[in-house]
Amino acid sequence: MSLLEIYDKMDYGPAPESPAAVNTWLDEHERKFGLFINNQWVSPENAEYYPSFNPADGEKLADTVQAGQVEVDQAVRAARQAFETWSTAAGTIRARYLYALARNIQKHHRLLAVLESLDNGKPIRESRDIDVPLLARHFYYHAGWSQLMDNELSDYQPVGVIGQIIPWNFPLLMLAWKIAPAIAMGNTVVLKPASYTRLTALLFAEIVAEAGLPPGVVNVITGSSKAGSMIVTHPDVDKIAFTGSTEVGRILRRQTAGSGKKLSLELGGKSPFVVFDDADLDGAVEGVVDAIWFNQGQVCCAGSRLLVQENIAERFISKLKARMQHMRVGDPLDKCIDMGAIVDQTQWDTVDSWVKTGAEEGGEVFQPDISLPDQGCFYRPTLITNLEPAAETVQEEIFGPVLVSLTFRKPVEAIALANNTRYGLAASIWSDNINLALDVASKVKAGSVWVNCTNLFDAASGFGGYRESGFGREGGIEGLFEYLRPAWQARPRPSFEPAEASTTWGATTPSRPTLPDNGRQSTKELPKVDRTPKMYIGGKQVRPDGSYTRAVLSPKGELIGQVGDGNRKDIRNAVEAAHAAHKAKPGWAMRHAYNRSQILYFIGENLDARADEFAQRLRAMTGQSLKSAQAEVELAVKRLFTFAAWADKYGGSVQETTLRGITVAINEPLGVLGITCPDEYPLLSLVSLMAPAIARGNTVVMIPSQVHPLSATDLYQVLDTSDVPGGVVNIVTGDRDHLMKTLIEHEDVDGVWYFGTPEGSYHTEYESAANMKRTWVNYGIARDWLNDEEGAGHEFLHEATQVKNIWVPTGE
Ligand code: NAP
């Protein structure tokens, strides 16, 4: 046999990692684990236990407790008690603990990696080289933020006790994304791992104690979804951080609605992997392998929708199929395998039924002819071609090693297909044309975009979704804000109970009848010219669709004006106009920030020129003194200047990740925002909400104060004279809650801000769960709009934007 023949026939031999150290550790615990509360193992009397299995061979690894209400209460109490000292300790002290934790993780690197592979089924190559190094990296990175917090984040305070719920696909990594930023910022946590993969969280808990963290800072509770629910609804938990399915995310959004708890949701995805004809095709094939077969495809940001340019599709698919024939699926502890085991038989069955659905939908299913172990939850890498874009298998998250593939002709079609999903977690773009790749990257709606690379993660770069992939970021400075609140703000604790929620919230209320004005004006004098404020939609003054009006009364009950009573149709028109303003050339978000800032300055200048008139109007509406009304107008002008200044200073930053290349965080606008304004300071509060939203490239539908709307209807004349393009600001007057409900239900509104009642805040959060709109509500708590921190802080910029991280490797 020639050397070449020997080489061709050469196969990989097994290179197994030993499970001995893990077995010793499990035996030391008699393969039975309690809950980790206050740095102690707690095993409740008569506890129920749940078995953990190795999905590669079905062998039982250990039993863990099913926590109940008593244990959840105990853990939350421990976290609350620890919060008192942990949150007030100097950041430099907390930094030392995080540093010690990072060091201890590194000391137990191998043990963690082997246990992760045994418990989850992922290849040791991945747990050893990706999951555990990233676990340590997150604690180092956040030790750094803890060190810097007192100086760099002095306008913020920790949130409190955080309930954290994580999935089974990256048990250690998800734990790191949650715990590291939370405790670095002075919070304490109660974490619940997923039921399939509880063991590494318990080993991590032991490392927490070993690193000397004070008791109660990190508590780990094992249990079912019921225990998760107990954490979510616990009154003494201040924030919920969740990673998991969109379906459960929706439940959590509803359960926490109106409670004043902060919430971040990292949910599912169906991310596009786009290959243009000028891409390095062999590189892109390897990219696909990493995108969809990494972790057996059980990756939230898996590139599970392959979009290939039509002229290379045949060649690319045949290269991909050839590569699939060489994939190695087998024992997760074998260092030479590409894919390990699916986490559990139930998940295996779900994946398999999706593949059958794909075939029923007319797809051509390809699975390579490779050998699989005789037992265990192993699944072949699968490719389904020939599907329609609307097919269920193309739209839904399969969460397994199944790739669906479509073709496109032009870049514009690729972008449309990439965005043709309810999700928005990630995207991978392959092209050697940097202009094209970056243009597509900027137009795809996703939190992470990888150019000529895929599935890259680092603690210095925030990860999170657009649309139904959730909201909030984990990693980077942007991720810290999930665990901070402004220093001036106490945890909102609205007294509103969901049980009291009205089933008719947002139904139309009849317009207030207009009071007769007869006889007030003398017939001897020329009567005043009637002035009927209209609504402002698409840059035009328009009458209300329903032709109803509402009376506006002074504090003494005198009629001082009438405004249109907006209805669903008016909102629909306003949303359409707000979208058209994005589509115009140049669209509002695509204009230079300089141009947006000029326009905001110009609004300020024109408002200032009419300051007296606005002050008189405010005085008539609210009954405040002229002096205070003048101060309100002056401050409104100042706010316009402040956000004009921010229009070109909040674009994003270069993230210092471990990638050799460039990772850029871009603060993108959400799109179309619906905003209801409070009754206090009707001009100032409206301007304080409108200005940051449009400064950062959003277009808005403003619902002014229901009782004091006239300064808003006066403002459109200022907008008209300030070069504001039609549709950027739309003003619809009428019943606040009815109009907000319509905005929430509108599929094309990207986010809603509600400043109104506790009940309205509840409904806004609850009902927005239907399509996971991002919300910002005030829980009925008035803020001091005169104060710059409360009326113009960074919070406004944060709420007006979402971070997209674009990763571009450089060099050969
Ligand atoms: P899942 O069913 O939503 O469960 C996630 C976690 O929530 C588990 O700990 C689960 O507990 C718990 N849970 C389930 N129902 C609950 C409820 N009603 N109240 C409170 N907690 C509840 O998701 P999974 O199947 O574990 O994970 C897969 C999903 O996670 C995929 O959709 C994937 O895309 C997503 N994911 C997203 C990201 C991201 O960063 N965006 C990262 C990884 C995964 P039990 O396990 O005990 O049921």
Side-chain angles (χ1 to χ4, degrees):
M1 202 186 282
S2 75
L3 206 54
L4 199 60
E5 281 167 340
I6 295 172
Y7 181 77
D8 269 350
K9 288 198 163 28
M10 223 158 55
D11 204 358
Y12 290 94
E17 174 74 42
S18 165
V22 165
N23 282 327
T24 307
W25 180 76
L26 291 171
D27 290 341
E28 275 168 14
H29 285 270
E30 293 170 354
R31 298 193 179 246
K32 208 165 194 180
F33 290 85
L35 308 165
F36 186 76
I37 302 176
N38 257 334
N39 285 12
Q40 310 270 337
W41 291 113
V42 175
S43 293
E45 260 180 58
N46 308 321
E48 249 185 75
Y49 284 88
Y50 176 93
S52 287
F53 296 98
N54 176 351
D57 59 15
E59 278 196 20
K60 186 167 150 182
L61 295 167
D63 281 314
T64 53
V65 170
Q66 293 287 65
Q69 190 66 56
V70 172
E71 293 75 49
V72 169
D73 289 348
Q74 201 180 345
V76 173
R77 248 194 330 272
R80 174 60 61 195
Q81 207 173 358
F83 180 71
E84 283 175 26
T85 44
W86 184 250
S87 62
T88 49
T92 47
I93 292 182
R94 287 198 299 270
R96 292 279 172 105
Y97 284 112
L98 269 95
Y99 178 73
L101 198 42
R103 297 290 272 186
N104 279 277
I105 288 165
Q106 287 182 316
K107 281 182 216 161
H108 298 295
H109 187 144
R110 206 67 164 206
L111 189 63
L112 284 161
V114 177
L115 182 59
E116 188 79 322
S117 284
L118 285 173
D119 199 18
N120 168 279
K122 64 173 68 203
I124 184 73
R125 204 173 39 82
E126 292 175 8
S127 53
R128 183 197 60 197
D129 298 347
I130 299 171
D131 299 54
V132 180
L134 276 171
L135 172 72
R137 162 80 177 132
H138 273 263
F139 283 94
Y140 277 118
Y141 177 79
H142 286 97
W145 274 123
S146 204
Q147 181 79 17
L148 301 176
M149 181 181 176
D150 295 343
N151 290 330
E152 301 300 319
L153 295 158
S154 57
D155 292 343
Y156 290 90
Q157 59 175 329
V159 171
V161 173
I162 317 289
Q164 306 187 317
I165 299 173
I166 56 172
W168 45 259
N169 58 340
F170 290 94
L172 280 171
L173 190 54
M174 294 300 104
L175 168 156
W177 286 12
K178 298 261 174 307
I179 295 182
I183 64 173
M185 295 295 101
N187 305 279
T188 55
V189 306
V190 176
L191 176 122
K192 188 197 100 61
S195 286
Y196 292 147
T197 53
R198 298 174 168 190
L199 299 181
T200 44
L202 298 171
L203 172 56
F204 173 82
E206 211 167 79
I207 296 172
V208 164
E210 187 182 283
L213 261 81
V217 172
V218 174
N219 304 279
V220 178
I221 289 284
T222 51
S224 69
S225 57
K226 280 194 202 140
S229 208
M230 288 168 199
I231 296 174
V232 173
T233 52
H234 198 292
D236 207 23
V237 168
D238 301 296
K239 175 196 158 91
I240 296 296
F242 171 79
T243 299
S245 59
T246 296
E247 194 190 348
V248 175
R250 240 189 277 285
I251 297 173
L252 268 54
R253 168 70 293 181
R254 290 180 178 139
Q255 277 180 327
T256 53
S259 67
K261 283 179 194 164
K262 265 176 90 100
L263 178 68
S264 47
L265 297 174
E266 304 286 348
L267 308 175
K270 187 82 179 181
S271 299
F273 187 105
V274 187
V275 186
F276 287 98
D277 59 5
D278 61 358
D280 162 8
L281 297 193
D282 294 319
V285 165
E286 286 311 310
V288 172
V289 173
D290 280 345
I292 184 66
W293 294 306
F294 168 51
N295 204 26
Q296 297 72 249
Q298 303 164 135
V299 181
C300 52
C301 51
S304 50
R305 268 189 309 142
L306 174 64
L307 309 178
V308 194
Q309 198 149 17
E310 200 177 75
N311 54 338
I312 52 149
E314 212 181 308
R315 192 151 58 99
F316 189 75
I317 295 292
S318 82
K319 275 177 182 280
L320 182 58
K321 286 179 177 171
R323 175 66 179 85
M324 287 168 76
Q325 296 286 12
H326 289 94
M327 299 240 348
R328 294 169 52 81
V329 180
D331 177 8
L333 288 193
D334 183 342
K335 293 164 200 149
C336 296
I337 59 122
D338 296 308
M339 264 174 56
I342 302 288
V343 72
D344 188 82
Q345 186 62 41
T346 322
Q347 186 63 18
W348 191 101
D349 293 343
T350 308
V351 171
D352 195 48
S353 83
W354 271 117
V355 173
K356 292 193 171 102
T357 305
E360 282 158 22
E361 289 181 312
E364 278 172 28
V365 177
F366 173 80
Q367 292 179 322
D369 182 21
I370 53 177
S371 68
L372 258 55
D374 297 336
Q375 53 157 352
C377 295
F378 296 94
Y379 203 87
R380 276 173 214 286
T382 304
L383 167 69
I384 314 182
T385 50
N386 205 29
L387 287 163
E388 294 295 323
E392 250 193 299
T393 25
V394 173
Q395 291 296 326
E396 297 300 323
E397 184 182 42
I398 296 176
F399 217 58
V402 182
L403 176 68
V404 297
S405 160
L406 303 172
T407 59
F408 65 88
R409 287 187 189 160
K410 293 185 176 156
V412 63
E413 217 177 296
I415 295 164
L417 279 174
N419 287 333
N420 180 23
T421 165
R422 62 195 170 102
Y423 297 112
L425 199 51
S428 182
I429 319 285
W430 292 72
S431 166
D432 272 359
N433 176 344
I434 190 76
N435 294 347
L436 173 68
L438 292 184
D439 184 51
V440 176
S442 72
K443 289 176 180 156
V444 169
K445 293 188 172 149
S448 296
V449 183
W450 296 291
V451 172
N452 293 327
C453 57
T454 191
N455 277 342
L456 296 182
F457 313 100
D458 188 66
S461 163
F463 185 87
Y466 282 30
R467 311 203 274 196
E468 292 195 32
S469 291
F471 41 78
R473 293 291 178 270
E474 293 188 317
I477 189 170
E478 59 268 36
L480 300 181
F481 297 110
E482 303 302 328
Y483 292 101
L484 291 170
R485 68 168 96 252
W488 60 269
Q489 195 179 58
R491 145 96 197 259
R493 289 193 179 270
S495 52
F496 178 79
E497 284 297 324
E500 295 161 13
S502 148
T503 50
T504 55
W505 180 81
T508 25
T509 54
S511 312
R512 202 199 289 256
T514 307
L515 297 181
D517 198 21
N518 296 344
R520 288 211 191 133
Q521 286 165 353
S522 153
T523 46
K524 290 185 188 135
E525 290 169 20
L526 200 57
K528 278 192 216 145
V529 174
D530 181 72
R531 192 169 143 208
T532 311
K534 303 200 182 60
M535 302 207 253
Y536 188 63
I537 296 178
K540 294 197 177 70
Q541 299 181 26
V542 295
R543 289 181 201 288
D545 168 75
S547 299
Y548 281 107
T549 42
R550 290 185 160 255
V552 182
L553 306 181
S554 73
K556 288 188 188 144
E558 295 151 347
L559 179 73
I560 52 170
Q562 290 167 314
V563 291
D565 194 14
N567 65 14
R568 300 180 79 82
K569 181 83 187 338
D570 296 308
I571 290 289
R572 278 207 297 274
N573 292 342
V575 173
E576 212 171 285
H579 272 286
H582 280 300
K583 288 189 193 124
K585 286 199 166 52
W588 182 243
M590 300 304 275
R591 281 177 183 243
H592 299 303
Y594 173 43
N595 180 253
R596 289 199 303 268
S597 97
Q598 291 286 295
I599 290 173
L600 274 139
Y601 279 123
F602 201 14
I603 305 173
E605 184 187 323
N606 287 325
L607 178 60
D608 188 56
R610 296 172 62 171
D612 289 342
E613 181 196 325
F614 272 86
Q616 292 292 357
R617 178 66 100 186
L618 285 170
R619 192 165 76 112
M621 277 196 308
T622 63
Q624 63 184 309
S625 71
L626 185 60
K627 203 164 157 216
S628 117
Q630 282 165 336
E632 183 176 343
V633 180
E634 203 174 301
L635 206 44
V637 174
K638 184 177 158 195
R639 290 281 147 83
L640 285 159
F641 271 56
T642 299
F643 289 111
W646 276 119
D648 55 5
K649 295 174 189 66
Y650 195 72
S653 56
V654 173
Q655 310 273 40
E656 300 188 60
T657 65
T658 45
L659 174 76
R660 191 160 69 89
I662 301 162
T663 309
V664 209
I666 301 175
N667 291 328
E668 291 196 340
L670 268 74
V672 173
L673 291 180
I675 302 177
T676 62
C677 304
D679 295 333
E680 341 57 275
Y681 300 103
L683 174 69
L684 178 61
S685 58
L686 178 135
V687 165
S688 303
L689 292 165
M690 176 194 79
I694 63 171
R696 296 307 326 159
N698 300 284
T699 57
V700 293
V701 179
M702 303 296 302
I703 314 297
S705 156
Q706 188 171 322
V707 285
H708 307 310
L710 295 176
S711 40
T713 53
D714 291 342
L715 191 70
Y716 61 59
Q717 297 182 351
V718 173
L719 302 175
D720 265 345
T721 53
S722 307
D723 292 347
V724 180
V728 170
V729 177
N730 303 278
I731 299 173
V732 179
T733 49
D735 181 310
R736 181 194 54 211
D737 290 355
H738 175 60
L739 299 176
M740 179 42 96
K741 187 172 167 59
T742 312
L743 283 164
I744 296 167
E745 286 167 357
H746 201 303
E747 286 291 328
D748 279 341
V749 173
D750 302 291
V752 285
W753 297 357
Y754 176 88
F755 285 74
T757 61
E759 178 170 12
S761 300
Y762 161 79
H763 283 284
T764 303
E765 290 190 332
Y766 188 95
E767 289 172 29
S768 70
N771 64 358
M772 298 313 289
K773 275 190 182 53
R774 210 169 119 187
T775 57
W776 183 25
V777 305
N778 74 338
Y779 303 105
I781 300 164
R783 62 172 65 204
D784 181 2
W785 292 98
L786 300 177
N787 176 313
D788 278 344
E789 273 177 49
E790 297 192 29
H794 265 220
E795 193 189 4
F796 289 76
L797 298 166
H798 179 70
E799 295 294 344
T801 52
Q802 52 191 344
V803 185
K804 174 190 274 181
N805 275 284
I806 302 180
W807 300 64
V808 189
T810 56
E812 290 295 306

